[in-house]
Amino acid sequence: MDSRELRDLFEVVPVATIVVGPDGRVVAANAATAAMFGHDPTGRPFVTVVRHPAVNRALDRVQQPVPPSGANPPASRGTARLPATISAQGRDLSAVITVSPLVVKGGRGAAVVIEDSSGVEQAEQMRRDFVANVSHELRTPLTALMGFIDTLRGPARNDPAAQQRFLDIMAREAGRMNRLIADLLSLSRVESDERRRPAETVDLAGLIRSVAATMGPAARESGVTVTLHGTQDAVRLPGDHDQIVQVFHNLFENAIKYGGGQLTVTLRRIPHEPLLRGPGWAAEVADNGDGIEALHLPRLTERFYRVDTHRSREKGGTGLGLAIVKHIVARHRGRLKIDSEKGRGSRFTVILPETAASPAPPLSATARPDGNRPV
Ligand SMILES: Nc1ncnc2c1ncn2[C@@H]1O[C@H](COP(=O)(O)OP(=O)(O)OP(=O)(O)O)[C@@H](O)[C@H]1O
Ligand SMILES: [Mg+2]
């Protein structure tokens, strides 16, 4: 490669890379550096670009003069790699910074590579939160079960009526644990499938009709009227039958649990859905319940997120339903939209591509309802 090609290569490397000259000034910085800092720092003293004492000490060390021949070079003159929180565009950024000696313009310069590690840290934090949440969710019913076992062995030993009552509660708590484990397994299965497109074809209209029929008794019991629009004729599209059933099962269940007596499902074709870059089918599940305040909307599909934890738990919810929905919709390269206003009901719209041929939009854009954070 000639120097022009090397220069072009330096420019396109997607990691912020800075060349520091013997005078401590930035000789060159690539496009990733400009993107990170919001400007090109070429010509500026390096200490004013990355204001971090340990990084600047590492830079001083690699620029130390070579000791007289015969003496052992200090070990610290080699490459240094250190985690650092630096300031970029007014924000704190977690990074791993590598400072390596580099001959620049015949003198002792350095190459500084700044890897943004905030994504890794965020993922690590999410994993810790997830484990803490799962433990907490399992511990609540488990504590209840253990308490009732003690009661049955002790004070309620000779009280058949109390025993019956406690056994009912224990069965409910054990059922809750069972549901939680089933939902967790389902979530992990959906996540591991997410990059594999569904190979089957489903009839979306028939599937919605059958979920409505299955949920009929639960709806009647809660005094909810279910109305379907646009589901009389078959609508064939690529999809995983069981997963799409799961999507509508959860959306119907939510509308029954948190809605206000009317559940309306409308299926319609969208000739061109910009985010799917092609035709799609939108299935809208609307209720006339209390609705959801805007501040909760972006977080609704996060695992274990509930607007009213007490109400959800009381109704046997695990808070994983919408997280599972979101991942299934993402696997189908579809979109999930949530519209709601306090006091005006909620509308959950699932948009699925009509054909498998439509180019896949980026997963991140489709996986979330507008503005939602990743789960
Ligand atoms: N139709 C709706 N109307 C009002 N709030 C809703 C509606 N659907 C969902 N929510 C809110 O969103 C939260 C998350 O829903 P999600 O389906 O993920 O969990 P869940 O219903 O609590 O539990 P699970 O689905 O696991 O049984 C619910 O706890 C509820 O607060
Ligand atoms: Mg739910």
Side-chain angles (χ1 to χ4, degrees):
M1 275 196 280
D2 65 20
S3 61
R4 171 78 200 267
E5 286 164 346
L6 280 172
R7 173 81 217 186
D8 289 349
L9 172 67
F10 170 73
E11 195 56 33
V12 299
V13 169
V15 184
T17 308
I18 298 175
V19 176
V20 183
D23 60 355
R25 285 183 183 270
V26 175
V27 173
N30 64 357
T33 310
M36 180 178 278
F37 291 99
H39 61 88
D40 179 357
T42 304
R44 289 180 45 182
F46 179 77
V47 286
T48 66
V49 180
V50 176
R51 295 171 192 274
H52 193 284
V55 174
N56 284 297
R57 274 198 302 276
L59 186 68
D60 284 347
R61 271 197 301 275
V62 302
Q63 291 189 301
Q64 267 170 28
V66 177
S69 58
N72 285 335
S76 58
R77 276 205 72 240
T79 295
R81 196 168 155 78
L82 42 143
T85 303
I86 59 171
S87 170
Q89 307 193 55
R91 286 184 303 114
D92 279 350
L93 181 83
S94 301
V96 175
I97 302 187
T98 310
V99 182
S100 314
L102 186 76
V103 174
V104 180
K105 295 180 178 162
R108 256 181 293 282
V112 181
V113 177
I114 307 172
E115 293 164 78
D116 181 349
S117 60
S118 47
V120 177
E121 256 167 45
Q122 212 181 354
E124 191 51 31
Q125 183 61 42
M126 275 165 67
R127 194 191 58 78
R128 281 195 294 267
D129 289 350
F130 182 62
V131 172
N133 275 327
V134 170
S135 313
H136 176 76
E137 294 292 332
L138 282 172
R139 180 184 271 169
T140 311
L142 189 59
T143 307
L145 280 175
M146 285 162 69
F148 285 118
I149 289 172
D150 282 346
T151 315
L152 287 176
R153 279 180 169 159
R157 201 172 31 217
N158 300 314
D159 182 346
Q163 282 174 359
Q164 202 48 53
R165 210 171 57 246
F166 293 153
L167 281 172
D168 286 348
I169 304 175
M170 288 169 75
R172 204 173 62 223
E173 296 298 328
R176 180 198 296 282
M177 289 175 79
N178 198 25
R179 242 184 342 265
L180 179 63
I181 307 253
D183 279 355
L184 284 169
L185 286 174
S186 169
L187 188 60
S188 100
R189 252 195 318 272
V190 174
E191 275 183 318
S192 58
D193 271 358
E194 202 161 313
R195 306 220 161 261
R196 230 170 14 90
R197 282 204 191 196
E200 318 163 26
T201 299
V202 295
D203 166 15
L204 187 58
L207 189 149
I208 290 174
R209 286 198 308 271
S210 91
V211 175
T214 314
M215 302 294 287
R220 274 192 294 281
E221 204 176 297
S222 308
V224 175
T225 314
V226 181
T227 317
L228 304 184
H229 296 291
T231 57
Q232 51 289 0
D233 301 324
V235 169
R236 302 217 161 268
L237 44 77
D240 179 312
H241 181 271
D242 293 353
Q243 288 191 342
I244 304 215
V245 165
Q246 224 178 331
V247 165
F248 288 101
H249 189 274
N250 185 60
L251 294 181
F252 278 42
E253 192 183 64
N254 284 352
I256 294 169
K257 281 197 289 191
Y258 312 110
Q262 295 287 342
L263 192 182
T264 312
V265 185
T266 312
L267 181 61
R268 67 195 154 83
R269 185 171 188 271
I270 305 177
H272 183 83
E273 165 59 44
L275 267 154
L276 306 183
R277 294 190 218 144
W281 284 86
E284 182 189 287
V285 180
D287 66 59
N288 62 334
D290 290 343
I292 306 159
E293 270 177 86
L295 81 130
H296 297 293
L297 292 183
R299 300 197 56 190
L300 227 49
T301 57
E302 282 178 26
R303 297 159 186 190
F304 298 116
Y305 190 85
R306 295 138 160 155
V307 175
D308 179 343
T309 310
H310 183 71
R311 186 168 171 206
S312 161
R313 282 228 182 90
E314 216 167 55
K315 294 181 183 254
T318 63
L320 290 174
L322 287 176
I324 295 173
V325 167
K326 190 191 95 158
H327 282 283
I328 294 176
V329 172
R331 183 192 169 204
H332 285 76
R333 308 295 191 266
R335 288 196 76 205
L336 172 67
K337 282 203 311 200
I338 308 177
D339 305 290
S340 187
E341 235 179 276
K342 192 81 192 131
R344 311 193 68 169
S346 311
R347 206 166 63 224
F348 291 75
T349 311
V350 174
I351 307 175
L352 297 174
E354 186 174 61
T355 55
S358 56
L363 262 181
S364 56
T366 57
R368 314 161 194 171
D370 293 351
N372 268 20
R373 297 212 315 236
V375 183

